Amino acid sequence: MAIFTGAGVAIATPFDENYNIDYDSFGKLIDFQIENKTDAIIVCGTTGEASTLNHEEHIAAIRYCVNRTNKRVPVIAGTGSNDSRTASWLTHQAELAGADAALVVTPYYNKATQNGLIDHYSYVARHTNLPLILYNVPSRTGCKINADTMAYLVKNVDNIVGIKDAVGDVSYTAQLMYETQGDIDVYSGNDDMIVPMMSLGAKGVISVLSNVAPEDTHNICAEYMAGNVEKSRELQIKYLELIHALFCEVNPIPVKKALELMGICGPHLRRPLTEMEDANTERLRKAMIEVGIL
């Protein structure tokens, strides 16, 4: 059984003016998501600025999210690292905190061969009972999980069950399904490719868009799964300009600004991320108005 189907939000981590985690706003954002049909919460991922959190903050954010969610939806904890021991330790801590699964990004900067990826993920999986979703985002990490490598891991490691596919190439997704014979839970890592990837068998999306439009992102998936492909397609296209605006600067700069415009949290980002440029803020505002968020 899939950890979740539909739209899981890659949730932002609100910070206060002193750049500490703003738990009041974080709780408000978590509740907003669940009240508006988000199917799962993915905490401490890229959108959650996990790379700027120290280990204590990282585990505290996971624990808070688990407790605030209180079993209403699954919580998937981002626990990846470019160091296998650190990734294993973070995953174990997420398990202790009560997460339902872990999202483990490919090693970045030092990267790895395909054999290295097999060893890395097998090592992490051996030290946890959590189901693992691997996160394939070569544009950020410089490291890609080949489809045959993923097929090997799914076949040989029991608790590797899924992949967040942010390669941005439906040919890769098709090859992934071919190599694994469909025996894998695939989630789109790109909000503009939800419908195309679901047409190849994806279970849904791990979404930035869901931060600001949780119900309709859920509906893109739900309508597709209900057989209402035309309605799903219409929603996908409706949000295309907003999706592009949410990525006109590096994620999560735009989505933090969008959440500020909605009054959910402040725009504060940890360095080296910086405040959104005025022209891009205006583009984002117009896109949000166009779909009725503002």
Side-chain angles (χ1 to χ4, degrees):
M1 178 181 288
I3 298 163
F4 77 96
T5 58
V9 60
I11 201 164
T13 304
F15 298 122
D16 62 24
E17 61 275 9
N18 296 314
Y19 304 100
N20 297 312
I21 297 176
D22 177 358
Y23 284 106
D24 287 342
S25 295
F26 198 15
K28 182 178 178 181
L29 179 57
I30 290 167
D31 290 345
F32 169 73
Q33 291 297 315
I34 296 170
E35 290 162 5
N36 287 278
K37 299 186 179 180
T38 283
D39 297 292
I41 294 178
I42 295 81
V43 61
C44 292
T46 304
T47 311
E49 296 177 71
S51 60
T52 69
L53 301 175
N54 64 38
H55 289 166
E56 182 180 26
E57 292 172 320
H58 195 135
I59 301 306
I62 294 170
R63 186 178 296 111
Y64 179 85
C65 187
V66 168
N67 291 338
R68 184 76 178 214
T69 301
N70 194 26
K71 302 296 184 183
R72 290 178 286 173
V73 297
V75 173
I76 299 159
T79 60
S81 171
N82 64 332
D83 171 60
S84 300
R85 291 178 301 175
T86 301
S88 177
W89 181 83
L90 284 170
T91 304
H92 179 63
Q93 293 301 312
E95 183 176 358
L96 294 177
D100 297 288
L103 178 70
V104 187
V105 72
T106 52
Y108 40 86
Y109 187 73
N110 50 1
K111 305 191 287 187
T113 64
Q114 295 303 303
N115 284 336
L117 290 174
I118 289 170
D119 183 66
H120 172 79
Y121 282 119
S122 298
Y123 177 85
V124 174
R126 281 198 304 272
H127 294 90
T128 184
N129 293 311
L130 288 180
L132 304 183
I133 299 172
L134 310 193
Y135 183 11
N136 199 15
V137 58
S139 64
R140 280 188 178 265
T141 66
C143 185
K144 181 180 179 181
I145 307 171
N146 290 344
D148 58 347
T149 300
M150 193 67 209
Y152 177 90
L153 285 166
V154 169
K155 181 178 180 180
N156 291 281
V157 184
D158 288 343
N159 56 333
I160 292 179
V161 299
I163 186 169
K164 178 182 176 182
D165 175 0
V167 173
D169 179 358
V170 292
S171 294
Y172 170 82
T173 309
Q175 189 68 28
L176 189 63
M177 288 299 191
Y178 172 78
E179 296 285 354
T180 63
Q181 299 181 347
D183 188 25
I184 186 175
D185 296 333
V186 175
Y187 300 96
S188 175
N190 300 83
D191 283 311
D192 59 353
M193 295 177 65
I194 303 171
V195 171
M197 288 184 63
M198 291 190 75
S199 75
L200 290 168
K203 295 288 197 299
V205 62
I206 294 177
S207 171
V208 176
L209 176 65
S210 283
N211 278 278
V212 298
E215 184 168 0
D216 269 351
T217 312
H218 161 87
N219 287 340
I220 291 172
C221 301
E223 294 290 355
Y224 191 95
M225 289 185 286
N228 302 323
V229 176
E230 183 63 19
K231 179 62 176 177
S232 177
R233 184 190 68 82
E234 288 174 1
L235 285 169
Q236 173 81 87
I237 292 172
K238 172 185 175 181
Y239 280 93
L240 196 60
E241 174 53 24
L242 177 55
I243 292 166
H244 290 164
L246 286 169
F247 289 92
C248 68
E249 292 188 27
V250 67
N251 179 48
I253 292 174
V255 75
K256 275 281 186 79
K257 177 58 69 174
L259 290 169
E260 180 196 21
L261 293 173
M262 294 170 69
I264 292 176
C265 69
H268 310 293
L269 300 137
R270 286 189 173 176
R271 292 179 175 87
L273 299 184
T274 54
E275 181 75 11
M276 195 172 188
E277 296 178 12
D278 290 344
N280 288 331
T281 297
E282 188 56 29
R283 175 185 178 183
L284 177 64
R285 188 194 310 274
K286 287 180 178 177
M288 293 173 73
I289 291 170
E290 183 178 318
V291 297
I293 293 175
L294 295 180

